[in-house]
Amino acid sequence: MSRYNFKESERTWQAAWEAADCFRATEDATRPKYYVLEMFPYPSGRIHMGHVRNYTLGDVVARFKKAQGFNVLHPMGWDAFGLPAENAAIENNVPPAAWTQENIATMRRQLKSMGLSYDWGRELATCDPDYYRHEQRMFLDFLDNGLVYRKESWVNWDPVENTVLANEQVIDGRGWRSGALVEKRQLSQWFLKITDFAQELLDGLEELDRWPERVRLMQENWIGRSEGAHVDFALAGRDDSLAVYTTRPDTLFGASFCAIAANHPLAQELASDQPVLGEFIAECNRLGTSEAAIETAEKRGYDTGLRAIHPLDNSWQIPVYVANFVLMEYGSGAVFGCPAHDQRDLDFARKYDLKVTPVVAPKGIPAADFTIGDTAYLEDGTLINSGFLDGLDVATAKARVIDRLEYIGRGTRAVKYRLRDWGVSRQRYWGCPIPVIHCEDCGVVPVPRDQLPVELPVEVDFDTPGNPLDHHPTWKHVDCPTCGKPAVRETDTFDTFFESSWYFARFCNTATEEPLDRAAVDHWLPVDQYIGGIEHAVLHLLYSRFFTRALKKCGYLSVSEPFVGLLTQGMVCHQTFRDANGKWLFPSDVTVDGGQARHRETGEAVKAGRSEKMSKSKRNVVDPETIIDSYGADTARLFMLSDSPPDRDLEWTDAGIDGAWRYINRLWRLAAEEGAPSESPPRGVPASLGDDAMALVKQTHQTIEGVTGDLDKFHFNKAVARIRELTNGIDRLVGGSESDIWARRFALETIVLLIAPMTPHLAEAMWKALGRRSGLVVEQAWPTADSGYLRDDEVTVAVQVNGKLRGTITLAKDAPNDEAEQAALSLDKVQSLLGNGPPRKIIIVPNRIINVVA
RNA sequence: GCGGGCGUGGUGAAAUUGGUAAACACAAGGGACUUAAAAUCCCUCGGCCGUAAGGCCUUGUCGGUUCAAGUCCGACCGCCCGCACCA
């Protein structure tokens, strides 16, 4: 028996699907729609194992849903703008566009070799002017709808990428891609008003019940809603007042100072005639915002000499400090300090010798006995030293004090969010140009819609540092569309997350001249199942949720949530090795014998590290193409699905791939040996089935039931295990009777249908070998279990004595309790353990367990 | 510091959500076929005691609830992730 010829098979069936145009999606009102989407790749060069896993998962879902009768939309495209193209341009002297196109060609070929069920007719690349011209128009619509503004502000500057980063792109004070320490710079930038939707984005999370809990939590934390109050502190000797934000207005009577941020307008003003303060402010700005900088930085303040008047007691004044720990970006950039009930305020008060007055005491402890040491008291309790609030609990005191502040006009209830507006300007070439023109007379002028797209220039110079668009000789020089005088184009481009925030909507109709085809998006959206990496939990997934709402506001579509189902897959990991100097080694350079890893050539002992995410720097990547070339796409796909649940990390092992390959061959042999049925069409269910045959038929129906449930819940590893069990079942049934032969064929044909979403080429090859020429497997309906075979007539019931398993008995299904009890008690083991006494109690869980309590 | 998750054989994991722990695999060991190898097939495979029948123990640790706990509750240990000077 020859081995499964995956090369020929995969080529053949891929061609067959293409010829039959199996995966083209068209709107069809007669079938329920199902939109399955995997996060589209950045065309970095070649696909990696993470892609293989991601797209295998999506393909199984798409093929399964199609078999179940859904009208499936399953598109693929390229997230094609981004910095690596510019780096390649600098290093290899290739234009970013050419580099990107070449990568797309390579990766498209690689994806096609996986046999993925995409509607390639909808392929798009975001760097195509035909794509980005639409987002330029969307931007102008956002402008008209008040969703965009331009602001001079402190931004995160990545000194390696020479560009601005959004807050979401700063991880631990470093650029998300470059890893460089981020600096603060003041620049004029375009912002999208994501904060307008803060509450909606928060509320919307509650309905996303098919999203992983932790992703919703991360977004919730990122949006960071807090409830509190704005409180006005009048300033002694001045007409203006200081607005502070607090979540603890109940502690107002414990206030001993106010503190403002270094960049607070008041601080700036005072610094003009207080040089020492100016120096202090400059020092604060020099301080990084990295985790390390914050950890080590001491809480410092500068007494401005100003005095704030307590809003609830005109005779009470407290000092106003400029403090390095107050952030201008949050709240109003000013706080009041209540040292007794905030650890940071307490540290500050001790340092500058300020008063510490407790105003909340633990319940049941007399006010006089309660003092604050080095630890602030943060819990609930009873208000003390607080006039009209005394005796109340914290929640009531909060409500009461805000009522009073509102009544006397010194404060208001306020809700704050941690979420900041999304800065979308990037000082890069390889992105979508922001369609505005700067005119000395007219200011910022939107590019007229009939002049879109603003296309990127092709000839660019990457030898000069900085933004190539900015120092391009001609590109930016245009006449003002309003007054006609010479003006300059905006040379910033959009953050590349702009493109990925609406591509899922464009897929609904990639041919339309409009940005979106309203009928098509209304038909297909929302995406029923989205699949991708957890690393986008707040970045891409939050931006897309916002963008969808913004598009809705501009009349482009009707849904608010783009993705109703989300599956976040784990990483593909692989063993790492390092030599004595800590240098990473390729696994292929290492041999392991007897638990000791050695260098293949030098024989030097090397250190086997833990399994880590595949990455070039750790030298533990496995190239998917070599795997597909030597084992086939189906083996790679099966391995990706077999052992680990999709949301967990997957450990790559050569042995695991071998195991998948062996199983594929085993299935192939079963089908090839079975061959076409001796009669055509094959006979129906034999009039009577032998016991063994009946057992296999039942197992087959149970497998259909189980696998269907597993795939519905994305338990692919369990589905594979079940199918393997059924394969073992076929091998065990060795009889030659007519009913045995029939049962084996039935089980095998069922396996073909069940495994088809996972190993589609193999399934087609088996289908053909089994003589099923009536069309492709991909066109077959998903099998359904006959409930008549799901019921077992007999069940094995565990018998316990005092909770310990002592034996099992076989009973008729749903046997009456007294019968079950009789059978259990008659076991010798049970009798001997009971001695002569009667059992104290017998617990019977029908069809499952009997526990005799002695 | 705050929030969340996880901990089961040598390994990846499963366990109908409180009801026979370790399904299905991988690795390992033994055997069959073969001149040999590969491929394939069969057997063993959580630990301890025992020739055996069998017995005892076992889901990070300790305690609790229950007829019954991997699953629920409490404390602790360890690992992972997210956020973090957020007022």
Side-chain angles (χ1 to χ4, degrees):
Chain A
M1 185 60 55
S2 67
R3 285 223 244 168
Y4 174 56
N5 186 340
F6 66 85
K7 280 208 166 122
E8 188 194 307
S9 173
E10 293 184 354
R11 199 183 317 118
T12 303
W13 298 111
Q14 283 166 19
W17 298 327
E18 200 178 329
D21 205 9
C22 295
F23 308 120
R24 180 203 296 277
T26 47
E27 281 111 81
D28 173 1
T30 65
R31 288 178 297 157
K33 70 96 183 177
Y34 194 91
Y35 185 178
V36 55
L37 183 67
E38 301 102 61
M39 291 181 185
F40 66 163
Y42 176 76
S44 55
R46 302 172 65 77
I47 63 168
H48 54 66
M49 281 298 173
H51 292 131
V52 175
R53 191 176 195 197
N54 193 174
Y55 304 142
T56 299
L57 294 172
D59 202 47
V60 174
V61 174
R63 287 173 178 270
F64 171 56
K65 290 292 173 182
K66 178 178 161 66
Q68 281 190 315
F70 287 90
N71 183 28
V72 171
L73 172 60
H74 189 211
M76 178 45 76
W78 311 96
D79 188 14
F81 274 138
L83 201 55
E86 289 188 55
N87 292 337
I90 295 163
E91 282 163 31
N92 310 326
N93 204 29
V94 261
W99 183 84
T100 303
Q101 287 306 334
E102 208 170 292
N103 290 346
I104 287 174
T106 303
M107 291 172 75
R108 184 193 298 114
R109 176 183 58 74
Q110 291 184 311
L111 289 187
K112 286 195 170 180
S113 78
M114 284 180 65
L116 301 165
S117 63
Y118 294 126
D119 178 355
W120 283 104
R122 293 173 190 254
E123 183 182 359
L124 59 80
T126 58
C127 63
D128 187 341
D130 213 37
Y131 181 85
Y132 68 70
R133 71 184 166 119
H134 300 301
E135 83 186 33
Q136 290 177 338
R137 187 168 132 194
M138 287 173 185
F139 177 79
L140 299 181
D141 288 337
F142 290 172
L143 209 51
D144 292 345
N145 281 274
L147 292 165
V148 181
Y149 62 95
R150 189 175 168 80
K151 188 179 77 173
E152 171 98 353
S153 69
W154 289 97
V155 295
N156 310 301
W157 182 262
D158 186 318
V160 170
E161 298 197 348
N162 276 314
T163 187
V164 161
L165 297 176
N167 292 323
E168 287 82 357
Q169 292 165 334
V170 180
I171 314 291
D172 289 338
R174 291 170 180 276
W176 68 305
R177 232 174 357 211
S178 71
L181 274 175
V182 164
E183 297 166 6
K184 287 276 165 201
R185 278 205 191 177
Q186 207 161 22
L187 279 178
S188 212
Q189 298 285 291
W190 288 101
F191 288 87
L192 260 52
K193 274 196 162 173
I194 191 169
T195 55
D196 273 8
F197 297 86
Q199 190 60 46
E200 255 195 68
L201 289 167
L202 191 62
D203 293 342
L205 291 172
E206 275 171 43
E207 274 126 61
L208 296 175
D209 54 353
R210 288 176 47 226
W211 276 42
E213 181 65 31
R214 63 178 178 141
V215 174
R216 289 190 290 172
L217 242 147
M218 278 190 231
Q219 293 211 354
E220 193 181 316
N221 291 339
W222 190 261
I223 295 167
R225 180 190 157 103
S226 75
E227 287 173 31
H230 274 130
V231 183
D232 263 340
F233 282 79
L235 294 169
R238 290 173 61 113
D239 294 337
D240 56 348
S241 63
L242 181 65
V244 307
Y245 175 70
T246 179
T247 54
R248 293 294 304 272
D250 55 301
T251 63
L252 204 45
F253 284 99
S256 53
F257 66 94
C258 281
I260 61 175
N263 294 325
H264 194 280
L266 183 60
Q268 306 280 326
E269 178 203 319
L270 295 172
S272 60
D273 44 81
Q274 294 188 43
V276 187
L277 175 57
E279 228 165 80
F280 178 72
I281 290 170
E283 201 180 314
C284 291
N285 282 337
R286 267 198 302 278
L287 198 74
T289 47
S290 73
E291 190 183 3
I294 289 160
E295 284 288 306
T296 51
E298 174 180 25
K299 310 285 171 271
R300 293 178 55 205
Y302 176 89
D303 187 348
T304 60
L306 277 184
R307 293 295 173 262
I309 298 164
H310 197 280
L312 298 169
D313 180 353
N314 285 335
S315 66
W316 179 2
Q317 297 196 354
I318 56 176
V320 177
Y321 282 79
V322 173
N324 63 353
F325 61 83
V326 180
L327 305 171
M328 192 59 220
E329 299 87 54
Y330 188 79
S332 57
V335 300
F336 81 79
C338 175
H341 305 292
D342 181 288
Q343 191 59 46
R344 202 190 40 209
D345 292 347
L346 183 62
D347 296 344
F348 191 80
R350 294 290 186 225
K351 183 171 166 106
Y352 292 100
D353 206 18
L354 298 162
K355 214 170 145 195
V356 180
T357 312
V359 289
V360 182
K363 282 218 163 58
I365 294 187
D369 297 353
F370 184 60
T371 53
I372 300 289
D374 292 332
T375 313
Y377 179 73
L378 308 175
E379 265 109 282
D380 195 7
T382 307
L383 272 283
I384 56 172
N385 302 324
S386 296
F388 68 98
L389 299 175
D390 280 354
L392 300 175
D393 62 42
V394 165
T396 315
K398 278 182 182 172
R400 194 71 57 82
V401 74
I402 297 176
D403 286 347
R404 172 72 63 97
L405 288 166
E406 288 188 332
Y407 179 73
I408 62 173
R410 300 244 58 133
T412 49
R413 224 168 280 275
V415 173
K416 287 271 170 238
Y417 301 90
R418 209 189 72 106
L419 185 69
R420 300 272 74 89
D421 276 334
W422 175 18
V424 294
S425 301
R426 295 292 179 275
Q427 294 67 42
R428 307 298 324 179
Y429 162 75
W430 193 233
C432 171
I434 299 176
V436 296
I437 290 162
H438 299 273
C439 170
E440 261 181 38
D441 292 351
C442 311
V444 176
V445 183
V447 174
R449 279 156 217 257
D450 57 11
Q451 290 174 26
L452 296 182
V454 177
E455 284 198 47
L456 287 170
V458 180
E459 293 291 319
V460 233
D461 159 35
F462 282 102
D463 296 334
T464 322
N467 180 357
L469 286 181
D470 196 36
H471 51 68
H472 190 277
T474 56
W475 184 79
K476 70 177 173 185
H477 300 290
V478 288
D479 293 338
C480 171
T482 308
C483 68
K485 285 214 283 192
V488 289
R489 286 192 190 286
E490 169 91 39
T491 58
D492 285 354
T493 52
F494 286 131
D495 181 1
T496 58
F497 280 104
F498 212 98
E499 285 83 56
S500 54
S501 292
W502 67 283
Y503 78 109
F504 47 87
R506 180 72 189 171
F507 273 140
C508 298
N509 179 347
T510 48
T512 176
E513 282 299 306
E514 296 297 307
L516 296 175
D517 171 349
R518 184 60 189 257
V521 293
D522 282 352
H523 182 265
W524 292 110
L525 290 182
V527 173
D528 296 278
Q529 190 60 48
Y530 198 34
I531 305 173
I534 186 80
E535 66 272 17
H536 287 113
V538 278
L539 287 157
H540 162 59
L541 289 168
L542 187 61
Y543 293 143
S544 296
R545 295 182 63 224
F546 154 68
F547 220 89
T548 303
R549 286 168 170 80
L551 289 174
K552 185 182 182 184
K553 192 175 175 189
C554 298
Y556 280 108
L557 41 71
S558 359
V559 296
S560 295
E561 289 294 342
F563 317 119
V564 288
L566 175 68
L567 175 63
T568 49
Q569 106 240 10
M571 300 178 296
V572 181
C573 298
H574 194 198
Q575 170 96 61
T576 54
F577 296 99
R578 307 176 88 152
D579 67 15
N581 305 320
K583 218 181 98 200
W584 299 99
L585 299 170
F586 293 107
S588 56
D589 289 341
V590 177
T591 54
V592 181
D593 51 352
Q596 176 59 58
R598 299 189 173 282
H599 195 283
R600 198 176 285 277
E601 273 151 32
T602 64
E604 182 196 355
V606 304
K607 213 166 153 188
R610 62 177 216 172
S611 183
E612 296 197 62
K613 181 183 180 177
M614 283 188 181
S615 78
K616 277 185 191 148
S617 63
K618 294 189 180 115
R619 298 196 155 183
N620 63 342
V621 292
V622 174
D623 182 9
E625 196 165 327
T626 51
I627 297 299
I628 292 169
D629 280 350
S630 40
Y631 292 93
D634 284 341
T635 298
R637 294 170 59 122
L638 185 63
F639 175 72
M640 290 288 151
L641 300 164
S642 288
D643 282 343
S644 298
D647 52 345
R648 247 185 261 183
D649 286 353
L650 172 80
E651 167 78 0
W652 175 274
T653 60
D654 295 341
I657 266 287
D658 284 334
W661 169 236
R662 280 199 299 271
Y663 180 60
I664 288 207
N665 273 289
R666 183 175 163 205
L667 282 179
W668 169 247
R669 275 195 310 277
L670 275 176
E673 281 164 17
E674 175 75 24
S678 52
E679 293 168 60
S680 181
R683 287 193 206 171
V685 191
S688 73
L689 286 164
D691 286 352
D692 292 346
M694 180 55 103
L696 182 59
V697 170
K698 279 185 171 178
Q699 191 193 357
T700 306
H701 283 283
Q702 283 160 0
T703 304
I704 293 171
E705 182 82 351
V707 169
T708 306
D710 289 337
L711 295 189
D712 271 330
K713 285 175 281 191
F714 310 131
H715 294 170
F716 306 110
N717 55 325
K718 286 157 74 176
V720 172
R722 263 185 236 275
I723 295 171
R724 291 186 92 131
E725 278 186 276
L726 183 56
T727 314
N728 293 343
I730 292 175
D731 277 353
R732 264 196 301 274
L733 182 66
V734 292
S737 74
E738 192 189 342
S739 72
D740 290 342
I741 291 167
W742 185 87
R744 276 197 299 266
R745 169 168 280 274
F746 172 59
L748 191 54
E749 289 188 353
T750 301
I751 284 178
V752 172
L753 296 172
L754 294 180
I755 209 164
M758 307 189 238
T759 59
H761 314 87
L762 173 72
E764 297 287 2
M766 288 173 74
W767 196 244
K768 189 180 174 199
L770 288 169
R772 296 303 219 168
R773 287 163 195 278
S774 58
L776 298 161
V777 177
V778 75
E779 305 289 6
Q780 303 301 311
W782 191 250
T784 46
D786 183 335
S787 57
Y789 291 101
L790 294 179
R791 270 183 68 89
D792 274 318
D793 305 331
E794 290 187 327
V795 287
T796 306
V797 175
V799 179
Q800 297 181 333
V801 177
N802 292 335
K804 280 194 174 174
L805 185 71
R806 295 301 170 180
T808 58
I809 50 175
T810 304
L811 292 172
K813 173 112 174 164
D814 297 325
N817 280 358
D818 53 343
E819 200 178 296
E821 190 177 315
Q822 281 295 312
L825 287 175
S826 66
L827 285 179
D828 292 347
K829 192 85 64 59
V830 174
Q831 279 304 317
S832 69
L833 279 159
L834 275 177
N836 294 323
R840 278 203 297 150
K841 197 172 168 188
I842 298 182
I843 286 117
I844 300 177
V845 182
N847 303 323
R848 199 155 283 171
I849 207 162
I850 299 165
N851 190 10
V852 180
V853 185

